[in-house]
Amino acid sequence: MSLISTLSWPVLYLISEWVIRLLMLVVVPFRRSPEAAKGWLLFFFFLPWPALFLYVLIGRPNYPGWRRERFARMPQVLKAARSKIRDVTEHRPPDLPANLAQAAALIENLGQFPSLGGNGAELLSDYAGTIERIVADIDRARSHVHLLFYIFADDRSGRAVIEALLRAVNRGVACRVLIDALGSRAWAPRVIAALEAGGVAVRLVLPVNLLRRRSARADLRNHRKIAVIDGEVGYAGSQNIVNADFNPRVRNQELVVRVTGPIVLELQAVFVADWFLETEEALDATALFPELRSTGTIVAQVLPSGPDYPEAGVERLVEALVHGARRRVVITTPYFIPNEALLHALETAVLRGVDVHLVLSRPVDQILVSLAQKSYYAELLEAGVRIHLYRDKLLHAKHLTIDNRVSLIGSSNIDMRSFTLNSEVSLVLFDREFNAHLREEQERYFAASDTVDPETWRRRSLASKTVENIARMLSPLL
């Protein structure tokens, strides 16, 4: 009689659990950050079989082979577009002090887009007003409109944009729309039906369907928010095409930047790349990348990031900028779950004498993420970082300022999901005047926030600390 036949099923199951645990001690840490490895190993220790099932599904932030093959063809797809961008006469490095001078080079090495001068930029903080500006620009479109949004609803805001797109199509304007399949799942069927009926080309990004051979993973999403009109006007930031109160528990506060000038070509290139990845249609660069005149004095640069760009994590840029800061760092984000490198960079910046502020939201829409986020407050406060909790609304804006020289605004949160799982886009602007406008916005946040008192925070209950730290152990999986 074999050994296996003499063992009971409970014993075999116990052995299998330990085989999984020991095997994953080798597999999980391979090419993974220590904090992410700890989260997965903790999961495997307590629930080996469920953890193994989940790990097979989402354990590595990699797209399937067919998607990677399409991305490998991207240099050829964007060849003409990159040539147009390189030919921009206003292409020049930003005028930065030595401590920040390498930022532009880092961005270009990560995302393959150079810094471009001659741009104009305008901050938009009024939620309804931003939708109105997008609609007005669509109504002025002569050639094409490209929209890429994580959420596109068929509510009041969404219908206003849909109607503007239909008017544009009737004028002979080519309109293309990309919406994330998971982010827009509640509205996608109705939005797609309305757009397609009016002649708009629309595609779901990364559709999830386990019965399809080319189904996407549910955790790898396109979280970008981009609008490009005629290759001359662009939008980037945190706001989706949906009402501010689409979540009945909170009302969103956003920040968007409207840009003109050569930098719009880089936002256009990001859209063209994503359109190809979803459709395998290479759009004609001749019509989409016009010769643009200078519309201002701002030097700017676009950084796309996500699983398609394994070396282009936006966290690398944020860490580098914090390390380069000499006077002031202000980070605004709704979700703050930093990696160890960024946490140490912030603490080290304070020790160097840098004034470091973190602006977060008191109202929350994700309880587990909020608990994990709070577990970082004590060490940040002890290090001297000032934490501001925005009252009344969910502060969904995502941006930072470094000294009075560098501004970053985009779709990326400061968490593991934005750093490794989501496709994001960040717009970096090297300009004192724009930085001053963004700092004015940040000062308004400070005035509408409660500053966390270190002593009061230390006195919170043991139960709160315990729950927060348990959530923190799971933060690499959030």
Side-chain angles (χ1 to χ4, degrees):
M1 183 178 293
S2 68
L3 176 63
I4 293 178
S5 63
T6 64
L7 298 175
S8 65
W9 281 110
V11 173
L12 287 173
Y13 184 81
L14 182 63
I15 292 172
S16 73
E17 286 190 323
W18 278 103
V19 169
I20 292 171
R21 291 185 183 112
L22 294 173
L23 178 63
M24 288 302 156
L25 277 174
V26 177
V27 173
V28 169
F30 184 71
R31 299 192 67 179
R32 189 187 300 275
S33 68
E35 55 266 31
K38 284 186 289 187
W40 275 108
L41 289 174
L42 184 69
F43 192 11
F44 275 107
F45 180 82
F46 285 107
L47 297 168
W49 278 105
L52 181 63
F53 175 75
L54 192 62
Y55 189 85
V56 170
L57 289 178
I58 65 171
R60 292 286 174 182
N62 298 322
Y63 285 122
W66 63 267
R67 170 91 176 196
R68 296 197 299 272
E69 184 275 331
R70 286 187 190 179
F71 190 78
R73 291 153 57 192
M74 199 59 65
Q76 186 61 35
V77 172
L78 292 180
K79 183 178 180 180
R82 292 192 187 280
S83 178
K84 290 258 190 175
I85 291 171
R86 294 285 178 184
D87 289 342
V88 172
T89 56
E90 293 288 345
H91 170 214
R92 65 171 184 266
D95 178 22
L96 291 173
N99 57 298
L100 296 171
Q102 292 182 319
L106 174 63
I107 297 168
E108 184 168 358
N109 287 333
L110 291 174
Q112 305 303 308
F113 290 122
S115 55
L116 301 176
N119 303 292
E122 177 186 1
L123 284 173
L124 304 175
S125 59
D126 178 73
Y127 197 104
T130 298
I131 297 294
E132 292 171 2
R133 291 294 296 277
I134 293 173
V135 167
D137 282 327
I138 293 174
D139 280 335
R140 285 190 290 268
R142 306 178 309 278
S143 170
H144 63 271
V145 175
H146 289 162
L147 303 182
L148 165 56
F149 284 89
Y150 178 66
I151 298 177
F152 195 134
D154 69 338
D155 56 12
R156 183 181 66 258
S157 298
R159 285 192 295 273
V161 176
I162 290 171
E163 290 166 4
L165 289 168
L166 300 187
R167 291 193 296 269
V169 170
N170 287 335
R171 298 195 308 273
V173 175
C175 295
R176 301 178 182 91
V177 175
L178 292 171
I179 58 176
D180 185 82
L182 195 60
S184 300
R185 66 189 182 281
W187 308 278
R190 297 185 296 276
V191 170
I192 291 173
L195 291 173
E196 288 184 336
V200 176
V202 56
R203 297 289 186 277
L204 274 180
V205 178
L206 300 169
V208 179
N209 185 340
L210 297 181
L211 300 180
R212 295 177 66 233
R213 185 172 67 88
R214 291 188 170 182
S215 173
R217 278 172 39 175
D219 61 324
L220 301 183
R221 309 315 314 157
N222 193 317
H223 194 242
R224 294 171 180 145
K225 293 95 174 164
I226 296 174
V228 177
I229 296 92
D230 289 343
E232 299 175 356
V233 176
Y235 290 82
S238 62
Q239 186 168 332
N240 289 290
I241 304 297
V242 65
N243 288 346
D245 57 355
F246 76 96
N247 184 334
R249 298 191 305 273
V250 295
R251 185 177 182 88
N252 282 19
Q253 176 72 45
E254 309 283 0
L255 193 65
V256 172
V257 60
R258 179 185 184 271
V259 291
T260 58
I263 194 61
V264 178
L265 301 182
E266 295 188 353
L267 291 174
Q268 182 84 288
V270 175
F271 179 91
V272 168
D274 280 354
W275 185 264
F276 174 78
L277 288 172
E278 296 305 323
T279 67
E280 286 195 282
E281 178 188 0
L283 299 176
D284 181 13
T286 304
L288 303 182
F289 293 84
E291 298 291 336
L292 293 183
R293 300 186 307 275
S294 173
T295 61
T297 59
I298 296 174
V299 177
Q301 204 167 2
V302 167
L303 174 65
S305 59
D308 283 322
Y309 302 80
E311 301 302 324
V314 68
E315 79 276 12
R316 291 176 182 253
L317 175 60
V318 175
E319 291 162 17
L321 290 173
V322 172
H323 279 302
R326 294 295 179 267
R327 297 173 56 190
R328 192 170 190 257
V329 173
V330 181
I331 297 177
T332 302
T333 180
Y335 313 118
F336 181 80
I337 301 181
N339 56 22
E340 290 297 322
L342 178 56
L343 194 63
H344 292 159
L346 292 168
E347 294 170 353
T348 303
V350 176
L351 292 173
R352 295 198 318 270
V354 178
D355 187 21
V356 179
H357 296 260
L358 186 60
V359 186
L360 306 173
S361 181
R362 184 178 291 281
V364 298
D365 62 344
Q366 298 187 28
I367 300 301
L368 188 58
V369 174
S370 175
L371 290 171
Q373 174 175 293
K374 290 176 181 177
S375 72
Y376 292 93
Y377 290 2
E379 56 196 293
L380 288 166
L381 291 167
E382 185 176 344
V385 176
R386 281 182 272 187
I387 300 176
H388 309 264
L389 299 181
Y390 190 79
R391 300 184 296 267
D392 303 329
K393 295 181 182 179
L394 172 63
L395 185 58
H396 192 250
K398 312 157 199 297
H399 50 84
L400 65 86
T401 57
I402 302 294
D403 297 341
N404 60 350
R405 304 299 295 272
V406 181
S407 307
L408 182 153
I409 183 168
S411 63
S412 180
N413 300 303
I414 305 297
D415 63 6
M416 300 304 162
R417 175 159 296 282
S418 282
F419 285 174
T420 61
L421 300 177
N422 286 342
S423 295
E424 308 281 6
V425 65
S426 301
L427 181 61
V428 186
L429 303 101
F430 307 97
D431 186 77
R432 289 178 182 273
E433 185 176 351
F434 181 85
N435 189 276
H437 291 316
L438 185 50
R439 283 188 286 117
E440 288 174 4
E441 191 69 29
Q442 291 168 339
E443 291 294 338
R444 284 191 282 273
Y445 295 162
F446 294 162
S449 299
D450 298 315
T451 302
V452 179
D453 175 65
E455 185 57 36
T456 303
W457 188 253
R458 277 193 294 269
R459 292 200 303 265
R460 73 196 191 285
S461 69
L462 177 61
S464 296
K465 296 177 183 178
T466 301
V467 171
E468 291 160 8
N469 280 284
I470 291 173
R472 177 171 177 163
M473 288 190 290
L474 299 175
S475 63
L477 309 180
L478 297 178

